[in-house]
Amino acid sequence: MPRKKKPAGKVVHVDYVPTPRQMLFHASQADEVLYGGAAGGGKSKASVMDAFFRCMKYPGTRAYMFRRSFRELRDTLITEAMQSIPRELGRYVESRKEYVLVNGSVIKFCHCQEDKDRFTYQGAEIHWLYIDELTHFSQVVYDFLKSRLRANKALGIKPVVRCTSNPGGVGHAWVKAYFVDEAPAGEVFTEKIYSDQLKEWKVKTRQYIPARATDNPHISSDYIIELE
């Protein structure tokens, strides 16, 4: 008897066409990336979609997305996720402030209002760390959250950090020194770090990708003039 053909899987359309700058952000192989610059450059959208694509590509992984306050989190990242992620691929759980995807991956929406709030995530196992408006945070918070990056070898992934930011804020100086001043925009900066525990050198990379309001085809010229 002829074999019955399996029904084709449903095709789900994701309404997202990244700009060239957003593509650079998604394609970066660096351990840490800052996508920063002018307001209106599509940074929050790129951050949410990057987390979504990584979580869909690697089942059972967890992305942590941070803003300074819950109000900012609700008005930006959570709203963006609910508008951009197809409902067929997941659902937002209000009580846990997380987006649960169909493949078992989870996007967690977190905030860190005060420096001391970082200890809330002491036991977290972060696979993909996203921080929106990085200059709103101190380097103490950034370094602590970065130390929570870890993953079971069975997952077959390399955890990464992806950040976005506008200029200014309490963290402007350290963010500029760490990401912007180390290498020309777009180039990957390589740093060797010695591990006392492993007794060996590790190579870490980071990259700054500038964003401009004119990169975003979805905003009007009137908005750009107001920003200026």
Side-chain angles (χ1 to χ4, degrees):
M1 295 179 63
R3 293 182 179 179
K4 293 183 178 179
K5 292 183 178 181
K6 293 182 179 180
K10 182 179 179 181
V11 175
V12 178
H13 175 69
V14 179
D15 186 17
Y16 175 58
V17 179
T19 67
R21 297 277 177 157
Q22 289 172 329
M23 280 297 298
L24 290 175
F25 176 69
H26 297 314
S28 176
Q29 297 298 307
D31 297 309
E32 303 168 67
V33 175
L34 173 67
Y35 183 33
K43 300 183 296 296
S44 295
K45 175 82 168 185
S47 187
V48 167
M49 298 311 292
D50 196 83
F52 167 63
F53 290 138
R54 286 185 193 277
C55 284
M56 287 302 298
K57 183 176 180 179
Y58 299 100
T61 58
R62 292 188 291 275
Y64 281 67
M65 305 200 76
F66 281 86
R67 280 294 300 250
R68 183 69 181 269
S69 70
F70 176 71
R71 180 186 61 79
E72 293 169 324
L73 192 68
R74 179 196 62 207
D75 294 345
T76 56
L77 300 180
I78 293 176
T79 298
E80 186 65 62
M82 295 180 69
Q83 291 176 346
S84 301
I85 299 176
R87 294 183 180 180
E88 299 94 328
L89 298 179
R91 62 187 180 90
Y92 178 65
V93 181
E94 173 67 30
S95 60
R96 301 200 300 268
K97 304 297 185 293
E98 61 185 34
Y99 215 103
V100 181
L101 300 174
V102 293
N103 65 350
S105 291
V106 177
I107 301 174
K108 294 178 175 287
F109 298 96
C110 313
H111 65 284
C112 203
Q113 184 86 43
E114 307 291 340
D115 282 4
K116 64 182 180 180
D117 295 335
R118 68 190 186 276
F119 296 116
T120 302
Y121 309 99
Q122 179 79 44
E125 179 180 311
I126 301 176
H127 302 143
W128 322 116
L129 174 60
Y130 292 84
I131 303 178
D132 200 27
E133 295 299 347
L134 181 60
T135 56
H136 291 184
F137 295 85
S138 70
Q139 190 167 7
V140 169
V141 172
Y142 180 75
D143 289 341
F144 181 85
L145 294 177
K146 194 170 62 171
S147 73
R148 303 300 93 192
L149 280 175
R150 53 199 173 96
N152 190 302
K153 288 185 178 180
L155 286 173
I157 63 171
K158 179 184 179 183
V160 298
V161 182
R162 296 292 181 263
C163 304
T164 66
S165 188
N166 295 324
V170 297
H172 178 89
W174 79 260
V175 171
K176 183 176 182 295
Y178 189 71
F179 281 101
V180 181
D181 295 343
E182 293 287 12
E187 291 189 15
V188 176
F189 175 74
T190 301
E191 181 179 24
K192 287 186 176 181
I193 301 174
Y194 185 75
S195 171
D196 289 326
Q197 295 186 30
L198 298 175
K199 304 301 180 184
E200 61 183 36
W201 290 91
K202 289 291 184 181
V203 174
K204 293 294 183 180
T205 56
R206 55 184 182 266
Q207 182 180 21
Y208 166 59
I209 299 172
R212 299 188 299 264
T214 51
D215 296 332
N216 190 344
H218 307 295
I219 63 175
S220 67
S221 58
D222 289 340
Y223 178 70
I224 293 174
I225 291 172
E226 288 299 323
L227 287 176
E228 292 176 338

